Amino acid sequence: MSTQVLARKYRPRSFTDGLVGQEHVVQALTHALESQRLHHAYLFTGTRGVGKTTLSRILAKSLNCRGTDGQGGVTAYPCGVCGACTAIDAGRFVDYIEMDAASNRSVEDMSALLDRAVYAPTAGRYKVYMIDEVHMLTNTAFNSMLKTLEEPPEHVKFILATTDPQKIPVTILSRCLQFNLKQMSPTATAQHLAHVLKIEGLQAQDSALKLIARAAKGSMRDALSLTDQAIAFCSGNISEPAVREMLGAVDTGYLVEILEALAARDGKQLLEIADRMSTRAIGFETALADLAALSYRIALAQTIAETVHEEIADAQAINRLARLLAPEDIQLFYSIAVKGAQEIAWAPDPGTGFAMTLLRMLAFLPDHEIAVADSKPLLNPAANTAARLTVPLKPSFSPPTTPENRAGQEKTSFQTIEDWPTLAAKLPITGFARQLATQSLLVSDDGALLTLSVSIKNLAEQVNINKLASALKKMGIERKIQVQVDSTTEHSVQKMGKTAYQIEQDKRIVEQEMLEQTVFKDPFVQQLVQEFDAVILPGSIKPLIGDSK
């Protein structure tokens, strides 16, 4: 005994029968039918499985319904039991004609349809023509229907449906009442699936239904088809692990492990995770899409903490990763994951493409081991037309020598830190941790505890302090770090001096002034100003960084 598939069994049969996500279209059509303001041509647009054909059939029933007593007229609430309603539901109503434009796209096919349209309805009040995938018609076919579409016989209604409205001529669009159908949200889709399964008397985990809803990508028909598949795969009791296996979906735990391995810069661990995922027959393109989605949620958590709700299963992992990884790293992971998902079809095999994408993330991750040289650009005028800045590497601070970098020589101890701005500028560190170093003032250093003061509260987070301590340790300076948050820090220049950031800003101002003076005094520039009454905009003068050739 065969069972009717869920997508057909639970197809809505009226405007009040669960048209998920299309409330805006239902409202417009209901009001039009109630007020008897009927248009002669309707155009439904939207991706596959969002309800274009379903709405067309409901509209056809509304136009032809006779009511339970056989005396009804056009209505927004078809009875579903009269001859017209039951025949349309069964696909055998003679005055409701569905035509697939993909296989009937020629001008001859359209001419035959229009020739039949002039005859009065056989059984219904209106003859309704539904042309699916109408964008597949040829240009001549479109041209042949223009006049009839604009002024059809009183008894004819046209309903056009398409997944690609951009391919429809504007002459056709201007003759139709257009409705854009939305993709269903994963939340609404999962709720509808739960409702259907409750009617069917089947058990399903909410997390499993969310996986199915996300895999359906906005299509309710796809969601119901996947649910049919899950019922068979799970023997009726739909569980998250089974649905993950069926879809080849990746467990969020794998993605969290990947981001933790990237934070630790552990390439070996990354490849081990990729190997484990390969044995699970996971869809790697989906895995990269899920990794991009997780990166997005982490970026939201870093920007607006309230976006992560405690009831979300992986909320704790998201909050932990938001503290562990720098925002710029998350942006990098997102971009590479999206690009990797696009390129995976070109890889030798999906597993290799996935592993290479992870290695690319690791390769492009900012290298915190590279120290930033403290260099002062020197002004070097170029020939008559511009000024260039060269940047010789002349570090003004040398870290203490350690046994690791000078084998056999006596270790030099670093007693106390006195010039914190110079040291802060040299630290091998990036991101918020570097901002903490360069925008803080030295309060005290006793050789064991380093106390800093900063005016920006967010910079004083523990993750930044840990990175700063690690950077100092790499330079042979072991300290516990205590950070005081003081909004007056930026005004404490007279008491404790300037921060590295303030010193750098002052240096840039001086360099900009010198550069502008060099340009102003250039004979060629002065000649241009004199002869053409030119005006030099100071802010427009920018240095060119590089060696003079």
Side-chain angles (χ1 to χ4, degrees), residues 190-477:
Q191 289 173 350
H192 185 67
L193 294 180
H195 172 70
V196 167
L197 291 174
K198 184 178 180 180
I199 297 174
E200 290 289 310
L202 297 173
Q203 298 295 321
Q205 292 181 346
D206 290 341
S207 54
L209 297 182
K210 289 178 182 177
L211 281 174
I212 293 174
R214 190 166 57 183
K217 297 180 179 178
S219 169
M220 185 59 73
R221 182 176 62 230
D222 288 4
L224 289 168
S225 298
L226 287 171
T227 304
D228 263 326
Q229 184 179 347
I231 292 171
F233 189 85
C234 304
S235 298
N237 188 6
I238 302 176
S239 63
E240 180 184 354
V243 170
R244 283 192 182 279
E245 186 177 354
M246 180 191 80
L247 297 175
V250 59
D251 190 335
T252 306
Y254 284 122
L255 305 180
V256 171
E257 286 186 52
I258 286 172
L259 293 179
E260 289 174 341
L262 286 169
R265 288 169 171 72
D266 191 338
K268 181 180 179 182
Q269 180 67 11
L270 279 177
L271 294 179
E272 287 178 355
I273 297 169
D275 287 341
R276 280 192 281 129
M277 293 173 67
S278 182
T279 60
R280 293 287 305 276
I282 286 171
F284 286 113
E285 183 177 355
T286 302
L288 288 173
D290 288 348
L291 184 57
L294 180 59
S295 299
Y296 166 71
R297 293 174 64 189
I298 293 171
L300 282 181
Q302 291 174 331
T303 307
I304 310 172
E306 295 78 11
T307 57
V308 181
H309 302 291
E310 290 302 323
E311 63 268 17
I312 297 177
D314 51 0
Q316 291 184 350
I318 289 175
N319 285 322
R320 186 177 73 255
L321 291 169
R323 294 189 297 268
L324 181 64
L325 292 160
E328 59 268 29
D329 294 345
I330 291 297
Q331 295 293 331
L332 175 72
F333 299 155
Y334 176 85
S335 297
I336 294 178
V338 171
K339 186 67 174 175
Q342 296 171 349
E343 295 178 350
I344 203 165
W346 305 336
D349 60 81
T352 300
F354 180 75
M356 192 63 183
T357 301
L358 298 185
L359 293 176
R360 187 183 304 167
M361 292 178 181
L362 184 61
F364 282 91
L365 202 59
D367 189 355
H368 302 310
E369 302 296 327
I370 299 177
V372 179
D374 178 22
S375 54
K376 183 173 182 178
L378 302 178
L379 199 60
N380 182 17
N384 287 334
T385 57
R388 304 179 67 207
L389 288 178
T390 60
V391 189
L393 297 178
K394 296 181 180 179
S396 60
F397 175 82
S398 298
T401 307
T402 63
E404 289 76 13
N405 59 26
R406 193 179 69 177
Q409 296 187 22
E410 181 181 357
K411 179 179 178 180
T412 304
S413 61
F414 196 94
Q415 299 300 327
T416 58
I417 299 173
E418 296 180 358
D419 188 358
W420 173 247
T422 301
L423 176 58
K426 307 307 299 178
L427 289 174
I429 197 170
T430 61
F432 286 157
R434 180 167 185 79
Q435 295 300 314
L436 170 60
T438 58
Q439 297 195 43
S440 60
L441 291 171
L442 176 67
V443 176
S444 64
D445 175 40
D446 60 7
L449 177 65
L450 173 64
T451 304
L452 302 173
S453 177
V454 68
S455 61
I456 303 174
K457 182 179 180 180
N458 290 344
L459 295 181
E461 292 185 357
Q462 192 59 45
V463 62
N464 299 328
I465 296 173
N466 293 342
K467 289 182 178 180
L468 178 56
S470 178
L472 286 171
K473 187 175 181 179
K474 293 179 187 301
M475 300 186 73
I477 307 170

Side-chain angles (χ1 to χ4, degrees), residues 69-89:
D69 58 358
Q71 303 300 315
V74 173
T75 176
Y77 309 97
C79 66
V81 296
C82 68
C85 289
T86 55
I88 291 174
D89 284 336

